[in-house]
Structure formats: structure tokens, C-alpha cells
Amino acid sequence: MSDSDQLEQHNLGHFGFSAVKIDDLGATEYTLVTIVCDRSYSTSGFQQDMERVLKEVIKACAHSPRADNLLVRVIVFDDQHVETHGFKLLEGINPDDYDGSLAPQGATALFDATLDAIEGTQNYAEQLAGQDFDCNGILFVITDGCDNRSTNGLNQIKNALQTVVRQEDLESLVSLLIGVNVNDQIVSRELQKFNQESGFTDYVELDNADKKTLAKLANFVSQSISSQSQALGTGGPSQSIKF
């Protein structure tokens, strides 16, 4: 999906990001949603189901009473991490464009993709706040394995999350790490360590990637987005949604 005519490129942080032009925004407050999806080779058994999760999340958000106040960014990662699209309004997203976006390949640059997501959220929030927009954020990192390719580590991610709190451009940021198909105890332990040492809001662990579980995941993600969006203006994060 090409957004070059609609989104501006911002070369900030370690990686940069793209986003809808602030002058094109019609509301006064927004929730910044970033979904980070693993497409490393180990996801090959459930790639199409993961793509359906993405599509169902977007479809569900489109029916939210605050759909017009959501700006969504999607990042995918393997050896590298790639912005599928930058922060854009739901009305500009066609769910079918995610077909083929998670073609499995390579290793797992989990930390780099996560840092990209946090920095992009913070930097865009800073620009929005400077133009008198109110905003909060929610971040989902969905993976089935531990990092084995990043150039950045836990300290950089921890510092980035602390920067979000310190600078106060976001009213709140909810960050959720989601381990999918995590049956390997080593992977489970490493993801729990990642969650605890980085400072995520919460960690959800799924022991399989069957259709029922992934459908439940899509519902969990969309409900969490809706809850955080509705919390904007309250001065704090949304109430935790139970998986």
C-alpha cells in the first residue's frame, strides 16, 4: 500500500516514520495506534491467520464510536523491520491491503521494531501536542519468538518508554507485548524478561495459534484500542482488558 501522496516522512529517532499531515486532521484529539507484527520464518504455519487478525482489528475499529479519532500505524519485522504504513486515519485503510504483508522470512529483529514503534509514537505525539492536539497511544507487539537480529537492546526500549512518560506529550501510553504460539519454555522465559525489563504495561501469552485463539486475539486488540480511545481526556490510561 503506497501512501507517498498522503503521508509525510519524518526522519526522527533511530528509524523515522511517516504520518498523515497534521493540517489534514479534522478533530482535536487522537489515539495513536501502532501494531507491530512478527513475520519471521517461524510464523509460516499461521501467516494467513495472523493477516486475518490485522484485518479484523481494522474492521472492528471502523465500527467504534471513536473511529474518527484513531490514527493507525503498522510495522512488520523479520531480519529487518518495515513500516507497512504510517499513522493514518481508518478511512484511508483498506483491510485487504494486508493480504501478503506477513509473508514469512528471516530471523527476528524484535527489539528494533519495538523501538521504532515507541519512538514513532512519541515523536508524532510531540508534534501533535505542539499544534494543540490532545492524544494518547496504544502499542501492540505481536511475536512468536525472541530477538536474534536487532542492533538495539532492552535498555534502549526501556529508555524510550521512560521518555514517553517524562515528556508528557501523550496523556498515556498503553504498551502490550503479545506472545503467540509460545510453547517453547525458553522463548516464553525470554519474552517475560523482555516485558519486565523494558517496562511494558502488560504481557499476554498465547499457547497456540489456532483460528479460535487468533480470533480471540483480534477481539482483544480491538477492544483494547476502543478502551484506550475512550479514556482520552480522563488524564490516565484505559482500564485493562482481560484476554
Side-chain angles (χ1 to χ4, degrees), residues 81-95:
H81 63 285
V82 179
E83 183 184 76
T84 304
H85 62 76
F87 290 110
K88 60 190 299 186
L89 292 163
L90 278 174
E91 64 186 25
I93 300 176
N94 178 0

Side-chain angles (χ1 to χ4, degrees), residues 1-225:
M1 56 185 79
S2 174
D3 301 300
S4 58
D5 296 333
Q6 302 172 4
L7 305 187
E8 290 183 321
Q9 184 65 38
H10 301 268
N11 297 315
L12 299 170
H14 288 78
F15 309 107
F17 65 98
S18 65
V20 64
K21 297 175 182 177
I22 294 178
D23 289 345
D24 292 342
L25 296 175
T28 60
E29 57 184 37
Y30 289 95
T31 294
L32 305 182
V33 179
T34 307
I35 304 172
V36 182
C37 281
D38 193 337
R39 65 172 182 185
S40 58
Y41 188 73
S42 58
T43 66
S44 57
F46 50 94
Q47 167 216 345
Q48 291 182 340
D49 292 323
M50 287 287 286
E51 289 175 1
R52 275 193 284 271
V53 168
L54 268 177
K55 294 168 70 170
E56 290 304 316
V57 166
I58 297 301
K59 290 176 183 177
C61 288
H63 292 97
S64 166
R66 292 185 59 82
D68 293 341
N69 300 86
L70 299 177
L71 290 167
V72 182
R73 182 182 187 219
V74 174
I75 299 169
V76 298
F77 67 94
D78 43 70
D79 289 341
Q80 310 291 324
H81 63 285
V82 179
E83 183 184 76
T84 304
H85 62 76
F87 290 110
K88 60 190 299 186
L89 292 163
L90 278 174
E91 64 186 25
I93 300 176
N94 178 0
D96 290 339
D97 285 343
Y98 295 118
D99 289 341
S101 64
L102 299 181
Q105 57 190 10
T108 308
L110 172 61
F111 295 165
D112 283 353
T114 301
L115 183 61
D116 183 344
I118 299 167
E119 288 187 342
T121 300
Q122 169 56 36
N123 289 328
Y124 194 42
E126 185 175 357
Q127 295 182 48
L128 288 168
Q131 299 283 340
D132 295 325
F133 289 86
D134 295 324
C135 56
N136 64 2
I138 186 164
L139 163 66
F140 302 91
V141 179
I142 305 172
T143 184
D144 80 325
C146 27
D147 186 278
N148 55 17
R149 194 58 54 146
S150 294
T151 58
N152 294 278
L154 294 176
N155 284 338
Q156 285 91 339
I157 295 168
K158 181 179 180 179
N159 290 339
L161 285 171
Q162 290 175 342
T163 296
V164 171
V165 175
R166 184 171 62 250
Q167 294 193 0
E168 298 182 341
D169 297 306
L170 286 161
E171 183 174 289
S172 66
L173 175 65
V174 172
S175 53
L176 299 169
L177 176 63
I178 300 170
V180 178
N181 210 31
V182 182
N183 294 308
D184 187 313
Q185 290 302 307
I186 295 176
V187 173
S188 175
R189 186 165 59 248
E190 287 299 309
L191 287 176
Q192 290 179 42
K193 177 182 177 183
F194 179 33
N195 168 57
Q196 293 166 358
E197 295 190 10
S198 296
F200 279 85
T201 305
D202 202 0
Y203 173 50
V204 175
E205 191 167 271
L206 314 182
D207 60 5
N208 60 63
D210 61 24
K211 284 182 171 58
K212 181 178 180 181
T213 301
L214 291 177
K216 189 177 178 182
L217 172 60
N219 184 61
F220 168 76
V221 171
S222 61
Q223 284 192 16
S224 298
I225 292 170

